Amino acid sequence: MEVSWGCTRFVLVLAVGFIFSVAQVCNGGRTSSFVRNDDLSLDMPIDSDVFRVPPGYNAPQQVHITQGDHVGKGVIVSWITPDERGSNTVLYWAESSELKNWADGFVLTYKYFNYTSGYIHHCTITDLEFDTKYYYEVGIGNTTRQFWFRTPPEVGPDVPYTFGLIGDLGQTHDSNRTLTHYELNPAKGQTLLFVGDLSYADDYPFHDNTRWDTWGRFIERNAAYQPWIWTAGNHEIDFAPQFGEAIPFKPYTYRFHVPYKASESTTPFWYSIKRASAYIIIMSSYSAYGTNFRFSLIVVLVKQGRQILVNMV
């Protein structure tokens, strides 16, 4: 599914596949006549141009960004180097400045059945200025790659901002049409809220994790330039003890780093962020949560002066 809207002063709660309750009236109107075909679409072949590997030895790929703090002054940059560790540093600078800064990240790898991941980099950039365009570079030498993003306006009750909303994307021909439609939408979403079910790699034999790599390259064309706010769905569980994989959400948690600690959460499946006029709460109903979660959520909302209906799936 895919839609985008713009509005001011609202509270958005995300659970996988569900949106609950708006604190104040928010009428974004109908932004598109697009309707997805009911027929099941075939997966794009692995040699499709949208899965193309960037040229150069060990070139960074699968670049994507998400919010890196609680209020929008930070960005997490993630990417993979396939052959060796390489540099874990992000070089970045404001569009209006010649002064270049850098931030160092960390690197992870994982194994899943007969698959071994590339080197997964996550780097958090902090203390950015609001409503500012930044350029950033990852990689070294001849395989450096450059992208850009814009930070949101300062958090406030009457700040216009436009979000896109996508879920169940996968990597079919319809997936490509959906992402293209979002990119070409005249409403111009500034941040994408992803409500779960990302790559559908678990639909392949042995949860073929190379399909996580193809999906990462597929979304890079948009996710490297605007934050995608992640929620885990049932297709991210990847629990398969029948072939030795008994840790739920393993590929997802290695590949997608989120700022859950900034909202004092203890797990990446339950967290919140502020962005412009929106207060966004991410809740993955497919992961475990403590018995005090409802109380903690109420405390957070009381601190924000909001009234909201919370319904757990």
Side-chain angles (χ1 to χ4, degrees):
M1 61 180 175
E2 183 269 325
V3 67
S4 64
W5 71 91
C7 61
T8 61
R9 205 169 187 184
F10 68 96
V11 175
L12 178 65
V13 176
L14 292 182
V16 177
F18 294 88
I19 302 174
F20 300 106
S21 193
V22 178
Q24 299 192 22
V25 175
C26 173
N27 182 10
R30 183 174 179 176
T31 60
S32 173
S33 59
F34 176 79
V35 178
R36 186 168 179 170
N37 194 317
D38 287 337
D39 295 331
L40 290 176
S41 177
L42 297 175
D43 286 356
M44 292 181 285
I46 203 162
D47 59 352
S48 297
D49 60 348
V50 296
F51 300 148
R52 185 182 298 118
V53 176
Y57 173 75
N58 206 41
Q61 58 172 266
Q62 307 176 51
V63 181
H64 57 269
I65 62 174
T66 193
Q67 185 159 313
D69 66 351
H70 194 57
V71 297
K73 294 189 70 175
V75 168
I76 298 172
V77 181
S78 301
W79 71 99
I80 290 179
T81 47
D83 304 304
E84 59 181 82
R85 182 187 178 103
S87 172
N88 65 343
T89 299
V90 175
L91 191 67
Y92 65 97
W93 63 96
E95 181 181 38
S96 59
S97 174
E98 296 182 358
L99 178 63
K100 294 187 176 182
N101 303 285
W102 68 90
D104 293 326
F106 60 94
V107 183
L108 303 170
T109 61
Y110 74 93
K111 295 180 182 293
Y112 191 96
F113 187 54
N114 60 355
Y115 169 89
T116 301
S117 74
Y119 297 85
I120 304 168
H121 302 250
H122 299 295
C123 181
T124 302
I125 303 171
T126 58
D127 297 322
L128 300 172
E129 297 296 324
F130 285 119
D131 200 16
T132 301
K133 184 175 182 179
Y134 285 88
Y135 292 93
Y136 69 97
E137 289 183 357
V138 292
I140 54 176
N142 295 328
T143 56
T144 297
R145 301 184 68 203
Q146 184 181 118
F147 306 89
W148 60 266
F149 62 83
R150 180 175 289 278
T151 53
E154 187 172 0
V155 172
D158 300 304
V159 182
Y161 201 74
T162 304
F163 292 90
L165 179 65
I166 295 180
D168 302 276
L169 186 58
Q171 42 197 303
T172 68
H173 294 283
D174 277 345
S175 307
N176 194 29
R177 282 188 283 269
T178 296
L179 186 53
T180 300
H181 178 75
Y182 173 67
E183 292 168 319
L184 298 179
N185 194 310
K188 297 300 180 188
Q190 296 164 279
T191 291
L192 191 137
L193 306 176
F194 200 99
V195 296
D197 294 347
L198 284 68
S199 72
Y200 281 77
D202 64 331
D203 278 353
Y204 290 85
F206 303 108
H207 297 214
D208 183 3
N209 272 223
T210 60
R211 280 295 184 167
W212 274 109
D213 293 320
T214 54
W215 195 79
R217 294 194 292 270
F218 165 53
I219 67 164
E220 182 189 86
R221 72 196 206 208
N222 185 268
Y225 296 93
Q226 64 173 254
W228 286 33
I229 310 302
W230 301 108
T231 310
N234 61 302
H235 284 279
E236 282 69 72
I237 297 174
D238 282 307
F239 178 73
Q242 65 272 26
F243 49 83
E245 292 299 339
I247 301 175
F249 300 99
K250 183 198 269 187
Y252 173 80
T253 52
Y254 273 85
R255 290 171 180 269
F256 300 96
H257 187 52
V258 298
Y260 68 94
K261 293 181 180 179
S263 58
E264 300 182 14
S265 174
T266 59
T267 169
F269 308 111
W270 307 80
Y271 66 101
S272 68
I273 60 171
K274 298 177 183 178
R275 197 164 184 89
S277 52
Y279 189 74
I280 303 165
I281 300 172
I282 291 86
M283 301 185 296
S284 175
S285 58
Y286 292 98
S287 63
Y289 58 92
T291 56
N292 65 340
F293 174 75
R294 289 177 185 268
F295 173 76
S296 299
L297 182 59
I298 290 170
V299 169
V300 169
L301 294 173
V302 168
K303 287 182 179 178
Q304 299 302 318
R306 313 283 190 173
Q307 292 183 348
I308 195 163
L309 172 66
V310 177
N311 188 7
M312 298 299 297
V313 177

